[in-house]
Amino acid sequence: PEFILLGRNGEELRLFRPGYLNSGRVSFSGTHIVWDEYVPDTRWSNRNFSVVRSYEISTGKVRNLGRRTRYFSPAVSHDGSKVAVIEQTAQQQFFLVVLSLDGSVLHRVPSAGNRFIQYPAWMEGDSAVLVVESDGHGKSLVTMDPGVGLWKTLFHSGLDDISNPAVSGGKIYFNGTFSGIDNIYCHDVLTNETFQ
């Protein structure tokens, strides 16, 4: 894989070639690109890590946001100052972690009931982080304000699969299988309506 900057006339500029992408999720803020890489343990073949890395576009500087971590699915904030990641510990505990761009932990919030969480995305104004939460009753779109520590369910999909949320203009866009095939759906936060 490689990160390519496309010019207005289709010209290509290779920025960087990352290592083995772990979740395959890449996030971009305008100043930074962030992604997670698979990192094998140098001694134990059955142990590995997932490290979030950042690439600063103006300088070409690459930085690891932690070492020997189990961070997945990074999402850089709109203002480019923070990165939300999912942490899955070796003890199968799940956390929403907010990192600064130097890798320091700003917030580390356990998921409600230790439910499986994935696909973080920042809400408008970086006010909260949206995740897809899974439990025995299906999947939900759930927000977390890391400063307050409260989880709030916005939409429950039942046993239909939902993934890859993106937030824009007070609406959450996501993949859903409600019609039997993958389609794009929208959940309006203000009206609480969901439509294809």
Side-chain angles (χ1 to χ4, degrees):
E2 54 188 14
F3 300 138
I4 301 290
L5 185 65
L6 292 176
R8 292 184 187 272
N9 298 317
E11 62 274 10
E12 295 184 3
L13 173 64
R14 179 186 297 141
L15 297 177
F16 184 73
R17 286 185 171 165
Y20 181 77
L21 298 177
N22 200 3
S23 70
R25 195 136 190 253
V26 176
S27 182
F28 170 71
S29 73
T31 60
H32 288 80
I33 302 169
V34 295
W35 68 97
D36 55 352
E37 281 188 19
Y38 170 84
V39 179
D41 190 282
T42 53
R43 182 172 180 192
W44 305 105
S45 62
N46 288 329
R47 182 168 67 174
N48 55 60
F49 303 98
S50 180
V51 176
V52 171
R53 302 184 81 195
S54 73
Y55 176 89
E56 189 173 4
I57 295 171
S58 62
T59 64
K61 184 174 183 176
V62 177
R63 177 179 295 198
N64 289 346
L65 305 185
R67 185 176 166 274
R68 297 170 66 99
T69 57
R70 297 179 191 279
Y71 293 155
F72 300 91
S73 197
V76 66
S77 60
H78 297 105
D79 68 5
S81 67
K82 303 177 289 283
V83 179
V85 299
I86 303 301
E87 179 185 17
Q88 180 180 0
T89 69
Q91 294 76 34
Q92 299 304 309
Q93 296 173 314
F94 298 94
F95 295 87
L96 174 64
V97 180
V98 178
L99 306 169
S100 67
L101 282 177
D102 66 4
S104 59
V105 175
L106 301 174
H107 303 282
R108 185 174 185 256
V109 183
S111 71
N114 197 40
R115 294 185 186 107
F116 181 69
I117 53 177
Q118 56 188 340
Y119 307 114
W122 289 89
M123 296 297 285
E124 297 285 338
D126 299 330
S127 59
V129 179
L130 173 77
V131 298
V132 174
E133 177 185 85
S134 300
D135 62 16
H137 303 289
K139 291 187 173 182
S140 301
L141 295 173
V142 180
T143 59
M144 159 56 68
D145 179 344
V148 178
L150 293 176
W151 295 94
K152 179 182 176 186
T153 301
L154 300 180
F155 172 74
H156 181 68
S157 72
L159 298 177
D160 288 295
D161 188 34
I162 58 174
S163 61
N164 299 308
V167 180
S168 179
K171 295 179 174 61
I172 302 168
Y173 300 90
F174 59 95
N175 291 10
T177 60
F178 305 106
S179 66
I181 59 171
D182 278 329
N183 279 299
I184 298 174
Y185 290 83
C186 176
H187 177 77
D188 190 317
V189 177
L190 295 177
T191 65
N192 204 32
E193 293 178 310
T194 304
F195 52 91
Q196 183 176 326

